[in-house]
Amino acid sequence: MLSVKGISAQYGHARVLSEVGFDVNEGEIVAVVGANGAGKSTLVRVISGMLRPAAGQILFCGESITSLPPYEIVLRGIVHVPEGRRLFGDMTVLENLLLGSTHLAARARRAEGLDRVFELFPILQERRLQLASTLSGGEQQMLAIARGLMSLPRLLLLDEPSLGLAPRIVTEILTVIQKLNEAGLTVLLIEQNVRRSLAISDRGIVLENGKVALADRGEALLNNEHTRRAYLGV
């Protein structure tokens, strides 16, 4: 579904990604893991069109999206749920969700989309008239994911969905990601939580200093000596 081919990216003169390449097959969860500063968020910004790469190409379903603006990439079916949630705090839960369904195809299925996200996250239905800024951290992350789902993604890019959340909420969020995947959604999961993310992923990619250091099945990476020493403290 997604092919990242030799992507390099930089901010000014600072190189952040160097010749990164990997594939995501339809129906998979693929985790991209690594330490702070490894280039994970930059990678997802390049895929979603928010940052132009310095070199390389990105293909989605066989067609290049490398030079497309973000709104056209969304129309193709790639939706980015950014790190830090990026909600509109002075708008209600419902208003934030409706903003996720502004393009024509999503607007036509708004009622269906709302039913779907309220089934996944019942607390959002209870809080639908509440300002987003008044939600807990976990509820805000649920809203950020739900808003992304309202755009009818074929490929969901999740950037650090567990960041700053209590362990119980992390488990709840990861369970929802698995449910979405079981229903047919392809997921690229960007995470610092190496153990939890690889445990639910079909395959994993380890980024180090802007380069792919390792790529394998999620289970194999969990048992890899380098991964265990560098990221799991074993």
Side-chain angles (χ1 to χ4, degrees):
M1 177 178 270
L2 181 75
S3 291
V4 176
K5 296 179 177 293
I7 287 294
S8 297
Q10 57 196 55
Y11 297 104
H13 297 294
R15 180 62 63 93
V16 181
L17 297 175
S18 297
E19 300 183 356
V20 171
F22 62 91
D23 294 328
V24 178
N25 299 315
E26 188 168 3
E28 284 189 315
I29 298 177
V30 175
V32 179
V33 300
N36 272 334
K40 303 186 303 298
S41 291
T42 298
L43 173 63
V44 79
R45 283 171 56 82
V46 170
I47 295 170
S48 65
M50 297 182 70
L51 178 67
R52 286 287 177 89
Q57 189 176 32
I58 299 170
L59 303 178
F60 183 61
C61 297
E63 296 184 2
S64 177
I65 60 169
T66 314
S67 60
L68 293 182
Y71 69 89
E72 288 196 16
I73 291 175
V74 171
L75 292 176
R76 299 289 179 98
I78 298 178
V79 174
H80 178 185
V81 179
E83 179 183 353
R85 298 142 200 168
R86 302 296 181 92
L87 302 173
F88 294 93
D90 57 351
M91 298 176 71
T92 66
V93 167
L94 181 58
E95 287 168 336
N96 272 274
L97 291 173
L98 294 178
L99 281 175
S101 59
T102 53
H103 67 78
L104 192 60
R107 204 180 312 157
R109 296 174 60 184
R110 266 181 174 168
E112 177 187 339
L114 287 171
D115 287 344
R116 182 190 187 198
V117 298
F118 286 152
E119 182 179 351
L120 284 168
F121 304 111
I123 192 65
L124 296 183
Q125 185 168 24
E126 294 178 29
R127 305 269 198 267
R128 64 188 181 279
L129 301 181
Q130 192 170 319
L131 294 181
S133 61
T134 66
L135 300 178
S136 70
E139 290 165 352
Q140 288 186 7
Q141 186 61 64
M142 293 174 192
L143 177 55
I145 294 172
R147 183 179 59 183
L149 294 174
M150 290 292 292
S151 292
L152 306 178
R154 298 170 63 191
L155 171 62
L156 188 64
L157 311 177
L158 290 170
D159 192 358
E160 303 283 9
S162 74
L163 188 65
L165 301 183
R168 180 181 62 82
I169 303 299
V170 171
T171 297
E172 190 172 342
I173 294 291
L174 294 178
T175 299
V176 167
I177 292 169
Q178 287 179 288
K179 284 182 181 178
L180 291 168
N181 177 249
E182 288 166 3
L185 183 62
T186 306
V187 178
L188 183 64
L189 177 60
I190 311 298
E191 262 293 348
Q192 286 186 60
N193 192 328
V194 175
R195 190 186 302 275
R196 299 294 299 273
S197 57
L198 289 178
I200 69 166
S201 298
D202 298 288
R203 292 185 297 114
I205 295 148
V206 179
L207 272 189
E208 292 182 355
N209 300 316
K211 299 180 179 180
V212 175
L214 293 167
D216 208 334
R217 293 178 298 107
E219 183 181 358
L221 285 177
L222 279 173
N223 294 313
N224 178 277
E225 183 177 356
H226 175 76
T227 308
R228 289 166 64 85
R229 285 182 176 178
Y231 301 105
L232 303 180
V234 178

